[in-house]
Amino acid sequence: IHMKKQKAPNPEKVKRELARLQAEKATPKVPGYLIYFILVVTVIYAADCITSDIGTQMQSILASQIFAPVVGEEFAVARMSALGFVASLVGALALFYKPLADRFGRKIFLIVNTFGMGLGLILVGVATNIPVYLLGASVIAFFVPHDMQVVYIYESTPAKHRATICAIIKALASMSILLIPVLRGTFMTATDLSGWRYVYLIPAAATIVIAFLAWFLVRESGRCMSYP
C-alpha cells in the first residue's frame, strides 16, 4: 500500500507563526483577564445560541413576509423549508474550514465566526426578497456550527475550574434565546408584523460589536500558544 506523502510545511511560515505565538505568550496578561475573558466569551456564546435558534422561532413570520408575496400563503412555509435545507448544505463546507484553526490559531476564527453570524443576521434582517434571505441563511448555516467559543473555554481556562466555568457560561448563554420572544413582543403585534426586522438587527448589531471587542480583548488560546 502506497501512502501519499504529505507536503511538508513551509519552514519560513512555521518560523513566523512560532515567533508570533511566542511573542503573544510572553506578553503578560492584564489583571482580571480571566473575568473579562469569561464575559466576552459568554456574550459570543449567547450570540451563537440566538443565531442558532432565531430561524426556528421566526419561521412563520419570515414565510409570511418574504415568501408568501411570491409563492402564496399556502406554500410559503413549505418553500421556505425547502430552500432552508439547501442553505444548510453550506454547513458541509465546515469539513474544510474548521480544521484551519489548528493551522492559523483559534483567535482569528473566533472573531471571523462571530462576525459571520452577525453578518448573516443582518442579511436576513434587511432581506426584501428570497435570494437575499437565502444568502443570509447560508452565511448563518456556515458560521454557526463551529463553536470556537467552546474550544476557547476548554483551552484557556484553569483546568481545575474548567467544568464549572463551562457550565456557567453555557447556562447563561442558553438563557439568551429568551431575548427573541422579548424582541418579538416589543416590536411586533398580532396585527402588525412590520417590526420583525428589529428581531434580527438588534442581535446582529450586538454580535458585530462583540466580534470587534474580542479582537482587542481576547488573547490566543492557551493551547495554541503552547503547541504552535
Side-chain angles (χ1 to χ4, degrees):
I1 300 175
H2 296 283
M3 299 293 292
K4 185 178 179 180
K5 186 177 180 180
Q6 293 185 346
K7 184 179 178 180
N10 187 309
E12 288 300 319
K13 289 184 177 180
V14 172
K15 185 178 179 180
R16 287 196 299 268
E17 183 66 11
L18 179 60
R20 181 184 70 83
L21 293 173
Q22 288 178 337
E24 185 168 351
K25 184 177 182 180
T27 304
K29 293 181 179 179
V30 300
Y33 171 77
L34 181 61
I35 294 175
Y36 72 74
F37 165 79
I38 291 174
L39 290 175
V40 171
V41 173
T42 299
V43 177
I44 292 176
Y45 207 144
D48 182 271
C49 289
I50 291 172
T51 307
S52 300
D53 203 64
I54 196 170
T56 301
Q57 294 198 35
M58 294 292 288
Q59 183 183 47
S60 61
I61 307 300
L62 293 173
S64 67
Q65 298 297 298
I66 297 178
F67 284 80
V70 179
V71 301
E73 193 73 38
E74 59 181 320
F75 300 109
V77 173
R79 295 292 175 83
M80 180 179 175
S81 298
L83 288 177
F85 174 75
V86 173
S88 68
L89 295 178
V90 176
L93 296 175
L95 294 174
F96 305 97
Y97 171 78
K98 193 171 184 177
L100 295 176
D102 292 328
R103 180 177 179 182
F104 297 104
R106 315 293 195 220
K107 180 176 178 177
I108 185 63
F109 288 91
L110 178 73
I111 294 164
V112 169
N113 293 346
T114 306
F115 183 84
M117 290 189 291
L119 176 62
L121 291 174
I122 289 175
L123 289 171
V124 175
V126 302
T128 58
N129 53 58
I130 294 175
V132 176
Y133 161 78
L134 187 60
L135 177 61
S138 298
V139 172
I140 289 173
F142 179 81
F143 285 109
V144 159
H146 303 296
D147 293 331
M148 190 56 65
Q149 68 279 0
V150 178
V151 176
Y152 244 91
I153 294 169
Y154 279 100
E155 293 185 351
S156 300
T157 54
K160 62 179 180 179
H161 300 304
R162 189 168 295 150
T164 301
I165 292 173
C166 184
I168 292 173
I169 291 176
K170 185 175 181 179
L172 293 174
S174 298
M175 292 176 61
S176 67
I177 62 175
L178 298 175
L179 180 64
I180 301 172
V182 169
L183 291 173
R184 288 185 55 162
T186 302
F187 296 104
M188 299 164 51
T189 66
T191 57
D192 183 10
L193 303 179
S194 61
W196 71 267
R197 299 182 186 279
Y198 294 106
V199 182
Y200 275 87
L201 295 178
I202 291 176
T207 302
I208 296 294
V209 169
I210 198 62
F212 279 108
L213 289 177
W215 176 262
F216 297 103
L217 297 178
V218 176
R219 293 161 58 98
E220 183 58 85
S221 83
R223 182 181 184 278
C224 276
M225 288 193 287
S226 299
Y227 304 97

